[in-house]
Amino acid sequence: AATSSDNAANTAADAQSTAVDRAAVSNDKQAVSTDRELAQQAAVTATEKTDVAIWEANRAKTEADRAATARTVSENIQTDLTQKYDQVVADTATVLAAKTEAVNSAVSAASDAQATAADRAAVSSDKQAVATDKELAQQAAVTATEKTDVAIWEANRAKTEADRAVAATDGKQDKNDLLTAISGVNTAANQIIYTTGVNQVSTISLTNVGKSLISAENAAAALSSLGISDVITESNSVFLKNGRVYKNNGTAQWGWDFFGANGEGMVWSSTASEAM
């Protein structure tokens, strides 16, 4: 009986222990389940982040590819532009050469126009080229005519300006130092201008007596303007006649006859018998 009781007690303890173990296992399962769920969520989150990172990496690669492509395109464009520029330079040289050749051809065409009928037949195959050259020559002639018209207009304008300049200076005295000095003198009535040096002038008053003396036509008129005549009858007056100085004493005229360049000699003489 004791043994059965012990066994029953042991069985109950085992059952209780088993129940505890089961509860612990259940808790562990719950924890494991929770950990698994968290792990799954973390895995999902990691997968999403990985996908985002991959998408970002792909986008970055795409942008890098686009940049590389754009750089390549830019380099190709630059290369193409350089080639086109070189081509334009080459074409320009070709055009200039062609223009020179066309001008030369125009001159040649003008000469060919005077050729004989046989020469015209020989160059019949070149008619198209000659026609083109002729057209270019006509265009050049039109341009030359226009330039000639412009040159004529410019020449006429220059002539008009020159005529204006000539008209502006026509009749005017060239600059002169003496005239400039005279223009700087302050003048007044009854004054005359006289020189005081090279291109230097001043003024001096001119009396009525001076005016009469200056305007006299000869020596007699000058003496007359001074109130002097050839014959002076006033007693004891002194006068000049025929280069001699005389003194009138009332009855006869006596004087000194000067001779020599500087009056080296004098002769006292009477002119009582001379017609005064």
Side-chain angles (χ1 to χ4, degrees):
T3 301
S4 297
S5 178
D6 291 335
N7 288 332
N10 290 332
T11 299
D14 291 336
Q16 185 178 5
S17 176
T18 299
V20 171
D21 291 339
R22 288 178 179 175
V25 168
S26 177
N27 291 334
D28 291 339
K29 286 182 177 181
Q30 183 66 35
V32 168
S33 177
T34 300
D35 292 339
R36 182 181 297 169
E37 184 177 354
L38 292 174
Q40 290 175 349
Q41 292 176 355
V44 170
T45 301
T47 300
E48 292 175 349
K49 290 182 178 181
T50 300
D51 293 338
V52 170
I54 292 172
W55 181 83
E56 292 288 346
N58 290 333
R59 186 180 67 173
K61 183 177 182 301
T62 301
E63 294 297 330
D65 292 339
R66 287 180 182 175
T69 302
R71 183 172 59 254
T72 301
V73 171
S74 177
E75 291 175 352
N76 292 336
I77 291 174
Q78 184 175 2
T79 300
D80 184 59
L81 289 176
T82 301
Q83 293 175 350
K84 288 182 177 179
Y85 174 79
D86 293 339
Q87 185 63 41
V88 167
V89 173
D91 292 343
T92 301
T94 302
V95 168
L96 291 176
K99 182 178 180 181
T100 301
E101 184 178 359
V103 172
N104 294 333
S105 297
V107 175
S108 177
S111 299
D112 293 340
Q114 300 176 355
T116 62
D119 292 333
R120 290 174 185 158
V123 296
S124 60
S125 60
D126 297 331
K127 283 184 178 181
Q128 185 61 39
V130 171
T132 301
D133 293 339
K134 184 177 180 180
E135 182 179 358
L136 292 174
Q138 290 174 345
Q139 293 175 355
V142 170
T143 301
T145 301
E146 292 174 349
K147 290 182 177 180
T148 300
D149 292 339
V150 172
I152 292 173
W153 182 84
E154 291 288 348
N156 289 333
R157 186 179 67 173
K159 182 178 181 301
T160 300
E161 295 297 330
D163 291 341
R164 288 178 182 175
V166 171
T169 58
D170 188 22
K172 293 184 178 180
Q173 173 70 41
D174 293 338
K175 183 177 180 180
N176 182 278
D177 292 338
L178 179 58
L179 295 177
T180 301
I182 292 174
S183 67
V185 173
N186 293 323
T187 59
N190 298 319
Q191 288 185 341
I192 60 173
I193 298 174
Y194 69 99
T195 58
T196 59
V198 178
N199 296 326
Q200 296 178 358
V201 295
S202 184
T203 59
I204 187 172
S205 297
L206 180 64
T207 63
N208 291 330
V209 174
K211 292 179 184 178
S212 299
L213 185 61
I214 291 174
S215 63
E217 295 181 357
N218 49 49
L223 289 172
S224 177
S225 68
L226 295 174
I228 300 174
S229 61
D230 284 344
V231 178
I232 302 175
T233 58
E234 183 178 354
S235 178
N236 297 323
S237 62
V238 177
F239 65 96
L240 177 67
K241 180 177 176 63
N242 297 327
R244 297 175 180 177
V245 177
Y246 293 99
K247 178 176 178 60
N248 189 343
N249 61 6
T251 58
Q253 289 82 30
W254 297 87
W256 290 268
D257 185 5
F258 293 94
F259 60 91
N262 297 311
E264 294 88 346
M266 294 187 297
V267 176
W268 180 263
S269 64
S270 172
T271 60
S273 61
E274 294 183 7
M276 304 301 290

